[in-house]
Amino acid sequence: MKTETTVAERIAGAIPRGVSVPIPILAHHASGAEIWDAEGRRYIDFGGGIAVLNVGHRHPHVIAAVHAQLDAFTHTCFGVTPYESYIKLAERMNQLAPISETTKKKTIFLTTGAEAVENAVKIARHATGRSAIISFTGGFHGRTLMALALTGKINPYKAGFGPFPADTFHAPFPDAYRGGSTKKSLAALEMLFKSSVEPSRVAAIIIEPVQGEGGFNVAPFEFLRELRALCDRHGIVFIADEIQTGFGRTGRMFAVEHAGVEPDLITIAKSLAGGFPLSGVIGRAAIMDSVAPGGLGGTFAGSPVSCAAALAVLDVFRDEHVLERAEKQGVLVRARLEVMRERFPIIGDVRGLGAMLAIELVRNRATREPAPELASRLAKHASERGLILLTAGIYGNVIRILAPLTASPELMDEGMTILEHSLADLG
């Protein structure tokens, strides 16, 4: 008699293996910071759909806004028949952007984070008349070819997909745990200008204020300020990739606010629309308007359903004090992680900003040798205990916390206890 096909077997039989599903949990329904599978088992969600659910699964205000939009219309294409939600959301983004109030801002909406990065590059190149783009080692900017060219991690993202677009260069990210520093990264940029690309040919420098897939490495605030000054000296567009860091994850609406830095362009996505696909580029109007009519857009760009959801997300941030809750969550999580670091020698580092926190697992604290197999085992074991975790980092040895910012302290404490017990179980 044939046994029932498992979820993993169905995935393997129908979906390309390039779509990685290391823990095949079949989601059935979700609410807040919890997911239930098809068999009714409950999981605490510390993955947040990869930083998409800062206001939680199915927030009632977001769902109500989506239902109202569905009753009106689902699609017209903004470039054919515009609609209020796109315009209103752009107006609110322009107000929220950490760019001087005296500077006019404009926003375009798209669908995915990679699409936002692609358009930011297009805009920067068009505005400057230059071609070169500089990004950083360990950075992640998406899976399309230009976004991959800018991404600073080979496996699994870039291996076998080249050649990539030309005129892209990488500088070392100031990763303190791995020996990096502001001084070293600035010196490397100056050497790049002398050896590989003259600054007068550089259209933009793009950086994540806190690296996401790279392992939650925080760019020193001093470095971001020096990078801003360098861009000003050479007429280079400063692009802040806030796709994972944006919308409260670090305790501010945008992570660059911690450093007091004003970008020229900001890429946004993930938690912008509370679980619905939406991305965008916010920027100085003088730069954004350099592109002629028809040069930007897309059939599904700025979906009316997603724009309605995003407007509701911003209301939730305002009405439910989500930024303050993010700061409190960060304090709680960091305190628990520091206790675990004292207890478990495999935790080499605790780092992050606000509620964007992670632990780096190592085989030996003295040598800091990465332990990716331990990270994989920990994520799998935690799922068996009812906690969803995500790995990250160039070496795949980082465990990151991306719980909804609206999760209660009690639920967060329960999840952290499962994490601690799972670490203990590794031996």
Side-chain angles (χ1 to χ4, degrees):
M1 183 176 179
K2 184 178 179 180
T3 59
E4 184 178 353
T5 305
T6 66
V7 172
E9 288 170 339
R10 289 179 63 195
I11 291 172
I15 297 166
R17 69 189 187 97
V19 180
S20 176
V21 186
I23 303 172
I25 297 167
L26 194 61
H28 182 268
H29 63 281
S31 178
E34 299 168 283
I35 298 175
W36 286 263
D37 68 14
E39 297 177 352
R41 186 176 182 191
R42 166 184 174 265
Y43 298 86
I44 296 173
D45 186 6
F46 273 17
I50 315 183
V52 167
L53 299 161
N54 285 357
V55 299
H57 292 273
R58 298 176 59 252
H59 191 287
H61 190 55
V62 175
I63 296 303
V66 168
H67 278 301
Q69 182 59 55
L70 290 174
D71 288 339
F73 59 90
T74 61
H75 177 74
T76 66
C77 182
F78 186 80
V80 176
T81 309
Y83 34 90
E84 174 68 16
S85 58
Y86 188 117
I87 299 169
K88 186 175 181 180
L89 183 60
E91 291 169 341
R92 292 183 72 173
M93 286 292 99
N94 295 337
Q95 292 173 348
L96 287 170
I99 301 173
S100 173
E101 292 181 3
T102 61
T103 301
K104 186 172 178 58
K105 282 86 67 178
K106 292 194 174 183
T107 298
I108 179 176
F109 293 112
L110 306 149
T111 307
T112 69
E115 194 179 2
V117 169
E118 295 274 345
N119 277 270
V121 169
K122 285 169 58 178
I123 293 165
R125 283 177 163 175
H126 202 285
T128 62
R130 305 173 181 183
S131 59
I133 311 291
I134 297 174
S135 58
F136 292 87
T137 56
F140 179 83
H141 300 287
R143 296 175 184 268
T144 52
L145 283 177
M146 173 54 76
L148 279 177
L150 300 174
T151 290
K153 180 180 177 181
I154 297 297
N155 287 311
Y157 306 119
K158 301 176 74 165
F161 292 122
F164 300 108
D167 260 5
T168 57
F169 303 86
H170 290 88
F173 188 88
D175 176 0
Y177 188 67
R178 295 289 167 188
S181 69
T182 292
K183 183 178 180 180
K184 290 179 180 179
S185 289
L186 290 173
L189 279 167
E190 291 300 332
M191 181 56 68
L192 192 67
F193 290 154
K194 295 181 184 301
S195 64
S196 301
V197 59
E198 62 273 33
S200 61
R201 195 158 60 81
V202 178
I205 294 177
I206 184 169
I207 188 170
E208 298 167 280
V210 182
Q211 291 188 327
E213 301 298 316
F216 284 29
N217 303 304
V218 181
F221 300 158
E222 177 192 8
F223 179 68
L224 293 176
R225 290 191 283 265
E226 291 289 341
L227 200 59
R228 172 73 272 180
L230 181 148
C231 288
D232 289 339
R233 284 197 302 274
H234 298 294
I236 297 170
V237 174
F238 184 118
I239 304 174
D241 185 335
E242 294 266 7
I243 289 168
Q244 190 161 157
T245 54
F247 301 96
R249 178 48 55 184
T250 68
R252 303 283 182 91
M253 189 60 76
F254 299 101
V256 288
E257 295 180 60
H258 291 279
V261 168
E262 294 187 9
D264 297 308
L265 301 177
I266 306 168
T267 56
I268 54 175
K270 289 194 180 287
S271 277
L272 167 60
F276 292 85
L278 186 66
S279 67
V281 182
I282 315 168
R284 301 178 190 272
I287 297 174
M288 300 290 284
D289 279 341
S290 70
V291 182
L296 302 174
T299 302
F300 293 103
S303 157
V305 177
S306 295
C307 285
L311 287 167
V313 166
L314 295 181
D315 289 343
V316 172
F317 266 84
R318 179 195 62 210
D319 299 338
E320 298 186 14
H321 311 289
V322 175
L323 295 181
E324 292 88 341
R325 294 170 72 174
E327 290 183 356
K328 292 177 180 178
Q329 184 183 111
V331 171
L332 183 155
V333 172
R334 185 179 285 274
R336 291 294 302 270
L337 292 177
E338 290 291 357
V339 169
M340 292 180 212
R341 188 173 73 88
E342 291 298 316
R343 180 181 174 188
F344 302 110
I346 62 171
I347 299 178
D349 192 28
V350 173
R351 60 174 176 265
L353 190 61
M356 189 172 181
L357 294 163
I359 53 176
E360 180 161 350
L361 302 186
V362 295
R363 294 191 180 93
N364 184 295
R365 275 189 184 171
T367 64
R368 302 187 179 184
E369 183 183 357
E373 73 289 345
L374 287 178
S376 296
R377 285 173 53 200
L378 178 59
K380 184 175 187 301
H381 193 69
S383 72
E384 293 168 355
R385 282 181 166 270
L387 176 67
I388 296 173
L389 293 173
L390 300 176
T391 59
I394 289 181
Y395 305 101
N397 65 321
V398 175
I399 294 290
R400 49 183 161 167
I401 309 296
L402 288 168
L405 303 176
T406 51
S408 69
E410 294 76 18
L411 192 69
M412 292 302 301
D413 192 61
E414 182 185 354
M416 296 305 293
T417 298
I418 294 174
L419 173 58
E420 187 167 6
H421 289 167
S422 299
L423 281 162
D425 290 342
L426 290 183

